[in-house]
């Protein structure tokens, strides 16, 4: 167990300085507009390619040999719209925390070394990203996609729990972080199984998406780990907050334009 946020913990709890508040305001607005423009560009420029969502339902009594399975297509979704959705979600939340009605609550959370708005947005947007990555690696089963969305959202919510658990104590309880890491492995392990199983039939750009997004997703965990280690610039919680904003923008931008360049043109 370690002491969190170094020597700056006390001053951070007293409130957010005006200069830091203005800096965060500008950064959230800039990130919001960047996400918004990207989302609108995806809607305007992408083609009509769709991905299926399927199911294979039981066709015999339990314990008896099954007839050959029939894969039913439940529905399809426009890939360009799905890519736009996680960018637009991020834009919505950045504008929300910059708005006059919500900004004071956002700053009060940051003064307590928490950001509930971040975790709610990530639980939706990053889980959508995971579902899209799964979809382009041919994971189309509705139950599998729902499970991947849920386990990724759980990983994000463990990040929220990490902050709320460690609000009152000067000693860090790493249990939520460890549980979040366990949950976070599951979606990527599922994608690896499908990539390996497909052999050489997977286009090279899919591997590029997998590797780049896997590394970036892990950077979020590293950022939180550095925050709670409290070393160097990460001893200031607000530095970690700014890193989260940049990581979110970079990850969503990279996924959106990799899919656009290779599929949606």
């Amino acid at each position: 167990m370690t002491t969190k946020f170094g020597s700056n913990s006390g001053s951070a709890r007293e409130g957010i300085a005006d200069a830091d508040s203005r800096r965060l305001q500008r950064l959230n607005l800039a990130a919001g507009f960047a996400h918004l423009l990207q989302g609108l560009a995806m809607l305007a420029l992408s083609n009509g390619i769709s991905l299926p969502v399927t199911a294979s339902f039981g066709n015999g009594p339990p314990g008896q040999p099954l007839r050959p399975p029939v894969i039913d297509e439940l529905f399809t979704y426009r890939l360009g719209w799905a890519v736009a959705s996680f960018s637009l979600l991020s834009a919505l939340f950045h504008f929300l925390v910059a708005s006059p009605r919500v900004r004071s609550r956002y700053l009060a959370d940051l003064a307590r070394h928490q950001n509930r708005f971040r975790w709610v947005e990530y639980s939706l947007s990053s889980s959508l990203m995971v579902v899209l990555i799964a979809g382009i690696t041919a994971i189309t089963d509705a139950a599998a996609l729902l499970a991947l969305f849920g386990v990724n959202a759980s990983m994000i919510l463990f990040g929220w729990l990490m902050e709320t658990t460690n609000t009152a104590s000067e000693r860090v309880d790493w249990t939520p972080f460890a549980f979040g890491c366990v949950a976070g492995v599951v979606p990527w392990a599922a994608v690896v199984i499908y990539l390996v199983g497909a052999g050489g039939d997977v286009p090279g750009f899919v591997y590029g998406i997998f590797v780049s997004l896997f590394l970036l997703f892990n950077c979020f965990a590293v950022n939180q780990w550095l925050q709670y280690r409290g070393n160097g610039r990460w001893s200031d919680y607000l530095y970690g907050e700014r890193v989260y904003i940049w990581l979110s923008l970079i990850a969503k931008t990279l996924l959106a334009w990799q899919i656009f360049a290779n599929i949606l043109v």
Side-chain angles (χ1 to χ4, degrees):
M1 302 187 64
T2 55
T3 302
K4 59 183 175 182
F5 302 117
S7 61
N8 292 340
S9 179
S11 61
R13 292 175 188 279
E14 295 169 4
I16 304 299
D18 288 342
D20 287 327
S21 174
R22 289 192 296 270
R23 185 177 181 185
L24 282 168
Q25 176 86 344
R26 292 192 297 268
L27 184 55
N28 274 297
L29 287 172
F33 279 112
H35 285 295
L36 176 62
L37 292 174
Q38 287 189 140
L40 295 176
M42 289 296 117
L43 293 176
L45 300 175
S46 59
N47 59 31
I49 285 181
S50 297
L51 293 180
V53 175
T54 65
S56 180
F57 299 107
N59 57 14
Q64 299 298 316
L66 297 178
R67 296 188 296 274
V70 176
I71 299 177
D72 296 316
E73 184 179 281
L74 301 181
F75 59 90
T76 63
Y77 60 92
R78 289 277 292 271
L79 184 56
W81 294 3
V83 171
S85 67
F86 59 73
S87 291
L88 295 176
L89 263 173
S90 294
L92 173 64
F93 274 83
H94 281 298
F95 290 140
L96 185 66
V97 298
S99 67
R101 292 181 63 87
V102 177
R103 187 183 177 203
S104 59
R105 274 182 281 174
Y106 168 64
L107 295 175
D109 273 3
L110 295 181
R112 295 192 299 270
H113 299 152
Q114 299 177 29
N115 183 356
R116 76 188 92 172
F117 302 100
R118 179 205 307 133
W119 301 117
V120 172
E121 187 253 300
Y122 286 2
S123 70
L124 298 172
S125 62
S126 76
S127 299
L128 283 172
M129 293 168 73
V130 164
V131 167
L132 285 183
I133 294 169
I136 63 176
T137 56
I139 301 175
T140 62
D141 182 78
L145 294 175
L146 184 62
L148 292 177
F149 185 100
V151 75
N152 188 80
S154 298
M155 175 196 69
I156 298 298
L157 296 177
F158 275 122
W160 186 354
L161 186 61
M162 180 70 179
E163 292 191 338
T164 58
T165 298
N166 289 291
T167 295
S169 172
E170 290 301 319
R171 290 286 179 177
V172 177
D173 180 357
W174 290 97
T175 306
F177 184 87
F179 287 172
C181 290
V182 172
V185 168
V186 175
W188 300 102
V191 172
V192 166
I193 290 171
Y194 272 67
L195 287 175
V196 172
D201 294 331
V202 177
F205 75 86
V206 176
Y207 291 101
I209 289 174
F210 171 80
V211 172
S212 60
L213 269 296
F214 175 77
L215 293 175
L216 275 169
F217 269 52
N218 278 279
C219 286
F220 288 85
V222 171
N223 187 53
Q224 186 170 68
W225 180 78
L226 289 170
Q227 277 187 311
Y228 282 88
R229 290 289 297 176
N231 294 331
R233 288 178 288 184
W234 277 270
S235 63
D236 178 5
Y237 179 84
L238 298 184
Y239 179 80
E241 170 68 5
R242 292 191 292 271
V243 172
Y244 276 125
I245 293 172
W246 279 108
L247 284 174
S248 176
L249 179 59
I250 293 169
K252 293 177 175 72
T253 298
L254 191 60
L255 179 58
W257 292 105
Q258 281 182 306
I259 291 178
F260 178 83
N262 292 283
I263 304 176
L264 294 177
V265 176

